[in-house]
Structure formats: C-alpha cells, structure tokens
Amino acid sequence: MKQRYFWVAAVLILFAAAVFLPRHVLLPRFTAELQDYIKEQFHAEEVEIDLAWHGSWSLLLGRVSEVEIVIADGSTAGLPIQSARLKAVDLRFHPWALFKEREFWYAGSEFLQISARVTEQGLNEYFREHVSQIQDLQVQAREGKLQVRGILYFLNVPWELALEGRLEIAGPTMVRVVPTGLMVEDAAAPPALVEMLYQFFSFNIDLDQFPFPIEITSILVDDGGIELAIEEVRE
C-alpha cells in the first residue's frame, strides 16, 4: 500500500512539475533574456515580447513556434528607429546558453521579418552626421521623396540649397540616397559646387549590423518618414 502511495505521489509531483516549470520558470527566463538581447542588438529603450505559448516543453529544446517583438526608440548601424515590429516563426536558440549561462544565443528561424519606422527627426540626425559639411540641414519626407535644405560655405561664400532625392534598394543591406533635383540660391553657382553637392548627397545607408544576415525587401517614403521591410536570409 505504501509503495502504491509512493508511486501516486511521484506521478503527481511529475505532473505538477510538467505544468509549473514551463510557464513559471522556463518562460520568464526565456522572455527576460530575449528582451535583454533585443535591447542590446537594437539599442532599444523599450522592448515588448508576445509569444505564441502552448504550454509545451519546446523551450528546453530551444524552439518557439512563434514570437512577435515590438521595439521602441532604437537604432541600427547608426540609423535611429522610432519603432519596429519583429515577427519570427519557429524561432530557434541555444537552450544551454539560456539556462546555464543566462544568455540568449540566436540560432535561426523558419521565417523572420522586421518592419521599421524612421521619422524625419531620425533622418535629420543621420543626415547631419553623414553630410556634416551642410549647415542648418533640414530633411523632410514628402510625396515619396526626401527634400533637403541647408547652407554650404564654398569659397567663403554661403550658398543656400534645396535638394530632392529618392531612396532605392542598392543591395541586400544597402539603401542608396539618389539626388534627383538640385536648386542653389544663385543660378550662376559654379559647376564645381553643383558637382560637390551631388557627391555629398549620393551615399549609402548600410544596415549590415544585424545579428543575422538580412535582405531589405522594400522601402517606402511617406509623409513624415520612411518605412523599411526587412527579412532574414536563410543560409
């Protein structure tokens, strides 16, 4: 009789552990470490994680069926990101690192996509750093184009300029700024000045600092900023 009670108690303990451990131990550890990982990789102020949780032990195997992550006030490769949404299907990680070392090590996914928003404020910060020769630089996103205004000192003379440009995908991780129109305060601006301005504003934004290989799939300039769509490249 005592032996039967022992086995019944053992089964109950195992059942309780099977119910308790995934939700109250494994899940909080995974969520906390993943949140820290995303904050570090994207220099984010806020990170929210939403898991498709089915109460399974898949976390011990280093797998999550589906996860959605919302990122606020971050950056990548120096480009300020106001907000981003990451969706991953069949996300994989190294469970030993998570539970032993308390670190999240990403190991791939079946599908991963990121949509990111860059505001005019973020564009201004980025352009002012990469086109520092232009003073009082202002960038606006309007009607599918970027509009840039500023002042350039050339031969000790201040020249007011207005430039329009578009953004195009130039490679898996590359966005190219392409000037499409330029106006200078004085119609008699020296050709060397015009050529210099086109060179200043013809540059690439390289988003190659993601923790996994990516491909930029679309870029849209709308009123007030730009929208980027990015997917992980499966190797």
Side-chain angles (χ1 to χ4, degrees):
M1 181 68 69
K2 290 183 178 180
Q3 187 176 11
R4 183 168 56 179
Y5 284 146
F6 172 79
W7 285 112
V8 170
V11 169
L12 290 175
I13 291 173
L14 289 175
F15 178 77
V19 173
F20 179 84
L21 284 177
R23 180 172 295 277
H24 299 285
V25 177
L26 304 182
L27 182 59
R29 173 73 61 81
F30 171 81
T31 301
E33 298 303 330
L34 177 58
Q35 188 176 53
D36 289 344
Y37 175 80
I38 294 297
K39 281 186 175 181
E40 180 181 359
Q41 295 296 328
F42 294 93
H43 312 287
E45 294 292 331
E46 298 181 17
V47 174
E48 295 181 4
I49 297 174
D50 184 18
L51 292 176
W53 176 250
H54 304 295
S56 70
W57 284 76
S58 60
L59 287 177
L60 281 178
L61 303 176
R63 305 184 82 97
V64 175
S65 60
E66 189 173 348
V67 61
E68 183 170 325
I69 303 171
V70 177
I71 303 166
D73 297 325
S75 67
T76 182
L79 181 66
I81 304 293
Q82 181 196 47
S83 61
R85 186 177 297 272
L86 183 153
K87 296 182 179 180
V89 176
D90 191 19
L91 182 143
R92 300 181 295 277
F93 62 95
H94 296 284
W96 176 260
L98 181 71
F99 300 118
K100 181 67 174 179
E101 307 295 334
R102 290 182 174 268
E103 293 183 1
F104 180 88
W105 290 4
Y106 179 70
S109 61
E110 186 66 24
F111 176 76
L112 187 149
Q113 184 181 58
I114 301 173
S115 58
R117 174 74 176 175
V118 182
T119 63
E120 286 181 348
Q121 179 180 349
L123 291 171
N124 274 281
E125 292 177 15
Y126 191 87
F127 271 65
R128 287 168 184 167
E129 180 177 350
H130 288 78
V131 195
S132 57
Q133 302 89 342
I134 308 299
Q135 298 186 15
D136 299 329
L137 188 147
Q138 297 291 329
V139 180
Q140 291 183 316
R142 296 288 185 274
E143 300 177 351
K145 296 180 180 180
L146 297 183
Q147 300 174 356
V148 183
R149 294 183 177 275
I151 299 174
L152 173 65
Y153 279 82
F154 182 71
L155 300 177
N156 293 322
V157 177
W159 300 81
E160 293 187 8
L161 63 95
L163 178 141
E164 283 192 348
R166 69 175 188 273
L167 299 179
E168 61 182 31
I169 299 173
T173 68
M174 200 84 67
V175 175
R176 178 175 296 149
V177 181
V178 181
T180 57
L182 174 65
M183 294 180 59
V184 183
E185 177 186 26
D186 189 339
L193 171 61
V194 176
E195 178 64 25
M196 182 186 301
L197 290 172
Y198 271 101
Q199 290 180 0
F200 285 163
F201 288 100
S202 300
F203 64 91
N204 293 326
I205 302 173
D206 193 355
L207 306 180
D208 65 345
Q209 295 183 11
F210 279 77
F212 42 79
I214 66 161
E215 179 181 14
I216 301 170
T217 57
S218 71
I219 181 167
L220 173 67
V221 180
D222 59 19
D223 290 351
I226 64 175
E227 299 281 345
L228 288 164
I230 298 167
E231 293 184 6
E232 180 185 18
V233 176
R234 296 175 63 190
E235 297 181 322

